[in-house]
């Protein structure tokens, strides 16, 4: 930034010198810049006008298309004789239709021989053959959809302005050609519209068929028979663009922007005469020339003032940047304070329960029933603390997920009863699940937690009464404006939770997923529920979006990548049971926190395990390499000073030790990003039952426990 400021000041000083020595050079440069700017501004003006006429023409032709469809519907299933018999009534209907559309001159229904069965002009229609008209003739060989004809003069006895036809084929029930329905459009309708918007000198507008034949122009060119081959080729190669052409009719060169109407063989054009563009530039340069000569005398003074002003602005910019840095620092500190304050509040509540239960357990002569109640309170509170930590890690996308392939619809259906219990009987629950499977690859437990958090959030928004709708479906891509790169090959599974509650103000959309942000009163929520949903979605490669309006409820939609339909067999969840005895199993415990390590070894020793505790990976490797003891399992923490648990496990495998390895971690950014790399993982805090079962699980996969090394 300071370098840019010094360069700008140096440039101003050079300009002060150049302003006295090179006025002519400055004028030439200014002329070139002005001409380029004038030309670019003209192009932008042309494209803005083109957008207007394109939108106008597209609406006109879409309206006529709908009108033709309506006419077709009116006469659908009617034979020619039935149409003739109802001609007065049909005439009035066509007349009303035409009266409602200023761009339409008339509407017609022709039989297969080109005779008018009914029209909006005359009732009954005269017996005149129209089979030679292009709007009829084009439909006889085959069904070509909507056809747009050339500009025509009305045929006697019909009078009035010129028109061009837009027509469709009439088909019988068996697909046979039975005639044509046609609407006559007024070129003057387009020309009047162009006259209103084309007030700039040299303006030009046109509607043309794809073959270059004009349908409407402003200003009208005499004897315009179409575009030259070069222009037609340019338009055929690109459906939209800017070209400079010289008319073969009036010899005027114009800068023209053109664009094809979607689904119609029609181009709209908007342009300016290049002479008008040059006139604008000359007017600009003449004003500069008039004031340029006397301005040269005072330019030096002006530049000097500009130099001083720039120096002042740079000083102000530097002060502003310092203030912005201070503000950003304050905002970061405020966010950090909010986060730590919320964590401290919730954890202090949990610690209060644990401390009170521990104090009560110390009381003498405590009845067994109360002692067990206090122990259960400590255990339950530890589980709540673990869930709070998991929610924080989910928001930060730092928990180590255990993904599996499962059917999101089946999982939602399985949670129906739990959600009904959570939200209460006064809330009606509607669950819409498709018949086809909706497989995703994610952490099933985190998915269920996210769904429950969204349901609880909806319950609170409805104050316990209303309708909760949960919908599961398949979508090909994320809705705009969120499009993070290429979508997954199979699209997304969308899980929507919709409530009929109070809704969310739009200015809060950017904050509802922040941790500890909540609109609830104190004591009614931590504000971590939606942040868990957000973190789980991001870490699973998905997205979560909200749509809401105050007073009209809210819809939270969780998008997760869909995978191949290979649902893994669901493993039954084991109920908590007694820990498994060690039966002399030898375990090497690697834990840098001595208190945690001792608690693990003491608990294992109570169960009959033989344990060896070391506090770092280096000592663990020495225990294995020395060979004084043989270990059945290595149980190691992940986050340790120096070599981590993952690095220790990799080194053990590199040294060809076959001893099974169990990792333990409460949080690791490496695990969150790379996973457990094939090793078994036990999440902290763990129970002694979970630890003993995990040790026996890995020991069963290695029936010959040995730490023998090829080096021994």
């Amino acid at each position: 930034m300071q370098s840019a400021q010094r360069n700008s000041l140096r440039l101003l000083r050079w300009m002060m010198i150049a302003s006295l020595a090179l006025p002519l050079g400055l004028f030439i440069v200014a002329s070139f810049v002005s001409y380029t700017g004038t030309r670019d501004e003209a192009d932008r003006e042309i494209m803005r006008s083109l957008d207007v006429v394109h939108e106008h023409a597209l609406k006109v032709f879409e309206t006529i298309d709908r009108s033709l469809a309506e006419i077709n519907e009116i006469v659908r299933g009617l034979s020619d004789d039935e149409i003739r018999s109802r001609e007065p009534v049909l005439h009035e209907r066509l007349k009303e239709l035409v009266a409602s559309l200023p761009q339409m001159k008339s509407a017609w229904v022709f039989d297969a021989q080109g005779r008018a069965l009914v029209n909006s002009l005359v009732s009954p229609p005269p017996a005149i053959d129209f089979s030679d008209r292009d709007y009829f003739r084009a439909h006889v060989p085959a069904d070509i959809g909507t056809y747009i004809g050339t500009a025509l003069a009305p045929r006697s006895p019909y009078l009035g302005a010129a028109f061009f036809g837009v027509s469709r084929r009439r088909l019988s029930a068996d697909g046979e050609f039975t005639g044509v329905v046609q609407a006559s459009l007024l070129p003057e309708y387009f020309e009047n519209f162009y006259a209103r918007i084309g007030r700039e000198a040299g303006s030009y507008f046109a509607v043309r068929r794809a073959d270059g034949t004009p349908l409407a122009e402003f200003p009208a060119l005499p004897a315009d028979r179409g575009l030259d081959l070069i222009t037609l080729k340019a338009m055929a190669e690109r459906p939209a663009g800017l070209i400079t052409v010289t008319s073969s009719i009036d010899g005027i060169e114009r800068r023209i922007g053109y664009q094809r109407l979607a689904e119609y063989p029609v181009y709209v054009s908007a342009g300016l005469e290049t002479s008008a563009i040059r006139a604008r530039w000359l007017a600009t340069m003449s004003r500069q020339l008039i004031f340029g000569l006397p301005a040269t005398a005072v330019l030096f003074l002006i530049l000097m003032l500009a130099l001083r002003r720039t120096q002042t602005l740079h000083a102000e910019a530097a002060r502003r940047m310092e203030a912005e840095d201070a503000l950003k620092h304050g905002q970061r500190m405020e966010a950090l304070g909010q986060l730590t304050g919320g964590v401290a509040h919730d954890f202090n509540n949990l610690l209060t329960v644990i401390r009170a239960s521990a104090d009560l357990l110390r009381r003498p002569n405590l009845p067994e029933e109360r002692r067990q109640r206090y122990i259960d309170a400590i255990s339950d509170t530890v589980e709540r603390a673990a869930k709070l930590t998991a929610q924080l890690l989910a928001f930060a996308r730092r928990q180590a997920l255990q993904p599996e392939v499962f059917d999101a619809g089946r999982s939602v259906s399985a949670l129906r009863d739990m959600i009904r219990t959570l939200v209460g009987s006064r809330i009606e629950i509607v669950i819409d699940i498709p018949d086809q499977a909706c497989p995703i690859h994610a952490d099933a437990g985190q998915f269920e937690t996210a769904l429950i958090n969204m349901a609880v959030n909806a319950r609170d928004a409805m104050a316990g009464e209303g309708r909760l709708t949960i919908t599961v479906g398949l979508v090909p891509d994320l809705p705009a404006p969120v499009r993070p790169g290429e979508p997954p090959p199979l699209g997304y599974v969308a899980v929507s939770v919709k409530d009929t509650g109070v809704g969310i103000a739009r200015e809060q959309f950017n904050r509802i997923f922040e941790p500890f942000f909540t609109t609830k009163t104190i004591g009614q929520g931590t504000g971590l529920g939606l942040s868990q949903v957000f973190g789980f979605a991001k870490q699973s490669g998905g997205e979560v979006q909200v749509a809401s309006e105050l007073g009209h409820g809210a819809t939270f939609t969780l998008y997760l990548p869909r995978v191949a339909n290979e649902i893994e067999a669901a493993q039954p969840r084991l109920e908590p049971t007694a820990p498994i005895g060690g039966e002399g199993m030898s375990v090497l415990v690697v834990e840098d926190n001595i208190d945690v390590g001792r608690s693990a070894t003491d608990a294992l020793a109570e169960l009959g395990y033989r344990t060896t505790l070391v506090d770092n990976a280096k000592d663990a490797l020495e225990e294995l390499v020395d060979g004084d003891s043989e270990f059945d399992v290595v149980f190691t923490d992940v986050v340790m000073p120096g070599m981590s648990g993952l690095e220790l496990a990799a080194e053990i495998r590199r040294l060809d030790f076959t001893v099974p390895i169990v990792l333990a971690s409460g949080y690791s950014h490496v695990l969150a990003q790379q996973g457990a790399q094939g090793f078994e993982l036990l999440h902290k805090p763990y129970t002694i039952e979970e630890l003993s079962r995990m040790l026996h699980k890995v020991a069963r996969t290695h029936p010959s426990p040995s730490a023998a090394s090829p080096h021994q």
Side-chain angles (χ1 to χ4, degrees):
M1 181 65 180
Q2 293 179 351
S3 177
Q5 291 177 352
R6 287 194 297 268
N7 291 339
S8 63
L9 293 175
R10 188 181 299 112
L11 177 61
L12 280 174
R13 294 188 182 99
W14 278 105
M15 289 178 64
M16 291 172 62
I17 299 173
S19 66
L20 300 177
L22 302 173
L24 180 60
L26 290 175
F27 179 76
I28 294 174
V29 171
S31 298
F32 175 77
V33 172
S34 177
Y35 179 76
T36 302
T38 302
R39 185 183 59 189
D40 292 344
E41 178 59 32
D43 284 351
R44 288 191 292 270
E45 181 181 328
I46 290 171
M47 295 308 294
R48 287 194 295 267
S49 299
L50 180 62
D51 288 340
V52 173
V53 298
H54 177 271
E55 184 70 20
H56 172 261
L58 185 59
K59 289 182 178 179
V60 169
F61 282 102
E62 287 177 344
T63 301
I64 297 303
D65 241 353
R66 288 194 296 269
S67 300
L68 291 177
E70 181 179 348
I71 297 172
N72 244 333
E73 193 63 31
I74 291 172
V75 299
R76 182 184 299 276
L78 299 179
S79 66
D80 292 353
D81 292 337
E82 289 174 325
I83 294 176
R84 291 189 185 94
S85 66
R86 302 182 187 182
E87 189 275 338
V89 176
L90 296 176
H91 166 74
E92 290 300 325
R93 291 192 65 176
L94 295 184
K95 190 174 179 180
E96 291 176 1
L97 177 63
V98 172
S100 65
L101 300 174
Q103 65 269 36
M104 190 186 297
K105 178 181 180 182
S106 59
W108 301 69
V109 179
F110 297 99
D111 63 13
Q113 287 73 41
R115 293 185 300 271
L117 296 173
V118 61
N119 64 47
S120 62
L121 297 175
V122 178
S123 177
I128 301 175
D129 184 8
F130 290 92
S131 61
D132 59 332
R133 292 292 203 181
D134 60 350
Y135 55 76
F136 182 88
R137 194 171 60 249
H139 294 284
V140 175
D143 186 2
I144 60 172
T146 302
Y147 175 79
I148 300 172
T150 59
L152 300 170
R155 177 171 292 173
S156 179
Y158 301 101
L159 303 175
F163 69 94
F164 62 90
V166 180
S167 57
R168 281 187 182 180
R169 204 180 205 209
R170 287 179 53 217
L171 297 175
S172 63
D174 56 1
E176 294 295 325
F177 174 69
T178 59
V180 170
V181 293
Q182 182 261 353
S184 299
L185 270 64
L186 293 167
E188 65 181 22
Y189 171 80
F190 292 91
E191 293 165 358
N192 292 337
F193 175 74
Y194 298 154
R196 290 197 301 272
I197 65 174
R199 298 179 180 177
E200 292 291 330
S203 295
Y204 174 78
F205 301 93
V207 181
R208 295 179 181 272
R209 299 201 316 175
D211 60 3
T213 304
L215 300 176
E217 284 182 311
F218 177 83
L221 301 182
D224 188 349
R225 300 302 181 190
L227 299 174
D228 58 83
L229 293 178
I230 297 178
T231 305
L232 284 174
K233 182 179 179 182
M235 296 174 68
E237 291 175 351
R238 296 179 59 193
L242 273 168
I243 55 176
T244 302
V245 296
T246 301
S247 173
S248 60
I249 300 171
D250 57 10
I252 296 177
E253 184 183 66
R254 293 182 176 88
R255 182 71 168 165
I256 293 179
Y258 65 90
Q259 185 173 357
R260 179 166 180 164
L261 295 186
E263 301 179 1
Y264 296 101
V266 174
Y267 284 86
V268 291
S269 303
L272 286 173
E273 296 178 7
T274 55
S275 60
I277 299 175
R278 286 193 296 270
R280 294 182 184 181
W281 171 66
L282 291 174
T284 301
M285 292 312 302
S286 63
R287 288 193 297 270
Q288 292 183 6
L289 186 60
I290 291 173
F291 294 99
L293 293 177
T296 302
V298 296
L299 185 57
F300 183 84
L301 177 61
I302 294 175
L303 289 174
M304 184 175 63
L305 295 176
L307 176 62
R308 294 181 179 178
R309 177 59 177 167
T310 302
Q311 291 171 332
T312 303
L313 290 176
H314 288 169
E316 292 177 355
R319 290 193 295 270
R320 189 184 304 114
M321 289 182 62
E322 293 177 359
E324 290 176 353
D325 289 341
L327 177 60
K328 291 177 181 178
H329 179 72
Q331 290 174 337
R332 287 194 297 269
M333 294 302 296
E334 180 182 358
L336 181 60
Q338 185 181 22
L339 178 63
T340 54
V343 173
H345 175 269
D346 285 357
F347 266 103
N348 279 333
N349 288 340
L350 300 174
L351 292 174
T352 299
V353 175
I354 295 174
R355 179 61 181 269
S357 299
D359 289 343
L360 291 170
L361 285 172
R362 293 192 181 99
R363 299 181 63 184
N365 303 323
L366 192 65
E368 178 63 22
E369 182 271 333
R370 293 181 64 186
R371 185 183 69 84
Q372 187 61 43
R373 190 170 70 215
Y374 298 147
I375 293 174
D376 292 342
I378 293 174
S379 178
D380 293 342
T381 304
V382 170
E383 289 185 6
R384 290 167 56 196
K387 291 180 180 178
L388 178 61
T389 304
Q391 286 182 316
L392 285 170
L393 294 177
F395 168 76
R397 290 173 264 170
R398 290 295 187 268
Q399 86 273 42
L401 299 179
Q402 296 177 329
E404 59 182 291
V405 178
F406 62 93
D407 186 349
R410 188 182 304 169
S411 181
V412 171
S413 180
L415 289 173
R416 183 195 303 263
D417 293 337
M418 180 184 295
I419 294 174
R420 180 176 287 109
T421 302
L422 284 172
V423 301
S425 60
R426 293 193 302 161
I427 293 181
E428 177 188 0
I429 298 178
V430 178
I431 296 182
D432 184 8
I433 299 174
D435 295 333
Q436 63 189 119
C438 299
I440 58 176
H441 185 249
D443 188 307
Q446 288 290 329
F447 175 79
E448 294 177 357
T449 301
L451 186 63
I452 290 173
N453 281 335
M454 291 192 290
V456 170
N457 183 74
R459 177 201 65 188
D460 296 341
M462 294 185 287
E465 184 172 2
R467 173 181 293 178
L468 176 65
T469 303
I470 303 176
T471 305
V472 181
L474 303 177
V475 295
D477 199 357
L478 295 175
V482 179
R483 299 181 62 88
E486 290 295 325
L490 300 179
Y492 291 87
V493 173
V495 181
S496 299
V497 178
K498 180 180 180 181
D499 63 67
T500 57
V502 296
I504 305 170
R506 180 164 295 276
E507 58 269 17
Q508 293 180 345
F509 279 15
N510 293 331
R511 299 201 62 196
I512 55 178
F513 295 111
E514 293 180 6
F516 301 106
F517 174 78
T518 178
T519 57
K520 304 171 188 176
T521 58
I522 297 176
Q524 294 186 358
T526 64
L528 278 176
L530 292 180
S531 68
Q532 181 272 337
V533 178
F534 177 85
F536 167 67
K538 294 295 186 180
Q539 194 171 2
S540 301
E543 183 62 61
V544 59
Q545 289 193 347
V546 59
S548 180
E549 185 178 344
L550 280 177
H552 298 281
T555 301
F556 287 84
T557 304
L558 179 63
Y559 296 93
L560 296 172
R562 181 189 179 195
V563 297
N565 191 10
E566 297 177 358
I567 307 299
E568 297 177 357
Q571 297 295 328
R573 296 187 179 180
L574 299 175
E575 295 295 330
T577 56
I580 301 176
E583 302 174 355
M585 184 184 297
S586 178
V587 182
L588 175 60
V589 180
V590 188
E591 173 62 65
D592 63 312
N593 188 305
I594 297 301
D595 292 334
V596 175
R598 285 175 179 170
S599 66
T601 55
D602 290 345
L604 291 174
E606 288 289 333
L607 297 176
Y609 293 84
R610 289 185 291 108
T611 61
T612 300
L613 174 63
V614 294
D615 61 0
N616 60 79
K618 180 180 178 182
D619 291 346
L621 289 174
E622 290 179 355
E623 289 284 344
L624 291 171
V625 173
D626 289 344
D628 294 336
S629 302
E630 290 187 351
F631 298 101
D632 297 284
V633 181
V634 174
F635 178 51
T636 176
D637 189 21
V638 173
V639 180
M640 295 186 296
M643 183 183 295
S644 69
L646 270 175
E647 293 170 336
L648 171 61
E651 183 66 14
I652 292 174
R653 289 292 175 262
R654 191 186 69 82
L655 294 174
D656 291 335
F657 289 109
T658 59
V659 59
I661 301 169
V662 176
L663 304 176
S665 177
Y667 158 71
S668 168
H669 72 281
V670 176
L671 285 177
Q673 295 171 359
Q674 303 176 9
Q677 301 180 12
F679 299 104
E680 294 291 344
L681 175 65
L682 195 62
H683 290 275
K684 293 180 180 179
Y686 50 79
T687 65
I688 188 60
E689 292 87 352
E690 293 171 340
L691 175 58
S692 64
R693 291 188 177 277
M694 179 62 75
L695 295 178
H696 271 267
K697 174 184 175 182
V698 299
R700 284 197 301 270
T701 62
H702 297 74
S704 299
S706 174
S709 167
H711 306 293
Q712 290 179 312

